[in-house]
Amino acid sequence: SPGLTAVQAGPVGYAVDAARGTLVRVGPRTFAAGPPTRVVTGTSEDVVARATRQSVYVLDEGRGRVAVADADDLTVRSGDEVSVADGVRSSVLDRDGRLWLLGETTGDLVWFDGPERHTRPGVVDDPARAELVVAGGSPVVVDQAARTVRRIGAGGRDTGRACIDIRGDDDSVRFGAAAGGDRVYAVSGDQGVLRMSDLATGRCASVAVTVAGAGAELGPPVEAMGRVFVPDYTTGKVAVVDVDRDRVVVIDEPVAEGRFELFVEDGFVFYNDPDSERAGVIHVDGAVDRVVKYNPADPGAGLDNDLAAAPAAPPESTESPDRDDAGPSTTAASPARRVERIRAVVP
């Protein structure tokens, strides 16, 4: 429904109703939704959530306010909302659960470690042409006007820098980054090309891979399993790019009509069409496992998705396994199980 958004932290799901300013927790064992809890008041239409194992940040981007709720009982920490003194241009979570924001008019960088707020003024001169992404668990400021990407350390200072090989007037560019590395990706819909910036070397001109026809509407790229996945809203398809070998595979059939979501969860790449019952998993070879979130003829009825095959588990992480009240991490869970979790909270 309009104004309803969803977010996950491990196996736990949360749904935010922007119109009411309420937050709902969806348990990982039963997928049952708990009671709605009001966490923000007098909201705008631009409300999003970012969740960690400890906190759920509910961000009213239009009015520049943040409420930090406890991940278990949803009580708001510090008892009130925190102002960021500006609308929000972009927001991300880093690997340590900090929330980072970019002011839409000031260009200030604001970050929260729980309810505590920190500010670095004037990080970009043209905030309308800048945004935040996460590379290797750290926030990165993408400054399209200055044609630079800058990695930000825990204290808010620059710790790495690279160039962006794009036209300054290309409004079709969308950005993404490597979850576990130094690469930042830019896709140009006008040119139909994927390019890469490397924060480790500072280089930006070594990669230019054609992923779509010129003039396509492309979405933000995501990376998983050594591949970059680029959503093409014009065709409803996804290009899977092996950047190191300059190879591209495009899925055979569209997964949606119009804009759709593409995201990584537990090492798998999921797509979700927010305007229909369609969702699923996209593999590195371009194969697609399709799952329906609900029966469009009877949205309240239960569904039992049974995929024919599940992909192998992604490479083991060097990090400690995450745990929740559902028990051990479900990294090797089947895509059907993962999409069932998504179905519980996606509108």
Side-chain angles (χ1 to χ4, degrees):
S1 62
L4 186 64
T5 60
V7 66
Q8 267 184 258
V12 182
Y14 300 90
V16 180
D17 188 330
R20 296 179 174 86
T22 56
L23 182 65
V24 170
R25 184 180 188 275
V26 180
R29 285 198 178 109
T30 63
F31 305 140
T37 300
R38 184 177 296 278
V39 293
V40 289
T41 57
T43 61
S44 70
E45 295 180 354
D46 301 318
V47 177
V48 299
R50 310 287 184 190
T52 73
R53 300 284 180 155
Q54 292 76 38
S55 304
V56 183
Y57 297 95
V58 180
L59 174 61
D60 186 342
E61 295 184 324
R63 296 182 177 175
R65 298 178 301 171
V66 176
V68 186
D70 184 89
D72 293 323
D73 61 19
L74 306 186
T75 56
V76 177
R77 298 182 179 182
S78 297
D80 205 353
E81 304 159 26
V82 181
S83 170
V84 297
D86 193 7
V88 177
R89 164 64 179 164
S90 180
S91 65
V92 296
L93 281 178
D94 69 14
R95 68 160 69 89
D96 297 315
R98 300 182 191 90
L99 176 69
W100 297 80
L101 314 173
L102 190 63
E104 67 178 357
T105 61
T106 62
D108 291 354
L109 183 66
V110 180
W111 65 100
F112 290 83
D113 194 352
E116 186 177 357
R117 171 187 161 181
H118 309 269
T119 303
R120 177 184 165 190
V123 171
V124 295
D125 295 329
D126 187 359
R129 299 181 67 78
E131 65 183 90
L132 296 171
V133 298
V134 175
S138 299
V140 173
V141 176
V142 178
D143 190 339
Q144 187 170 349
R147 299 178 68 186
T148 63
V149 294
R150 289 177 284 160
R151 193 202 317 270
I152 306 297
R157 312 313 300 178
D158 295 358
T159 60
R161 187 184 185 98
C163 56
I164 310 173
D165 188 28
I166 57 172
R167 292 199 329 258
D169 62 348
D170 189 346
D171 293 329
S172 71
V173 176
R174 301 294 180 264
F175 298 96
D182 299 304
R183 294 175 171 181
V184 176
Y185 300 103
V187 291
S188 167
D190 286 352
Q191 298 176 328
V193 170
L194 166 72
R195 292 184 171 90
M196 182 186 77
S197 300
D198 191 336
L199 287 161
T201 64
R203 292 197 298 266
C204 63
S206 59
V207 173
V209 181
T210 299
V211 294
E217 183 183 5
L218 303 180
V222 302
E223 188 195 60
M225 298 172 283
R227 302 292 188 272
V228 182
F229 295 71
V230 181
D232 186 339
Y233 301 146
T234 302
T235 63
K237 297 183 178 183
V238 176
V240 183
V241 186
D242 184 339
V243 173
D244 295 325
R245 295 176 175 82
D246 193 12
R247 295 177 182 173
V248 181
V249 175
V250 178
I251 64 175
D252 291 334
E253 300 292 334
V255 297
E257 296 177 3
R259 297 188 177 190
F260 56 94
E261 300 168 346
L262 200 65
F263 57 96
V264 180
E265 177 69 24
D266 282 350
F268 298 115
V269 176
F270 290 84
Y271 71 88
N272 173 58
D273 181 358
D275 297 324
S276 80
E277 73 281 6
R278 290 174 288 190
V281 180
I282 300 175
H283 301 254
V284 294
D285 62 357
V288 179
D289 286 329
R290 300 172 188 269
V291 179
V292 292
K293 297 173 292 184
Y294 58 86
N295 181 352
D298 186 7
L303 288 177
D304 182 16
N305 283 296
D306 183 16
L307 298 182
E316 292 185 4
S317 171
T318 57
E319 300 178 359
S320 299
D322 292 324
R323 300 183 69 90
D324 192 80
D325 55 1
S329 172
T330 53
T331 299
S334 74
R337 183 68 168 168
R338 304 304 299 165
V339 174
E340 283 297 305
R341 288 181 180 152
I342 297 167
R343 187 171 64 85
V345 295
V346 170

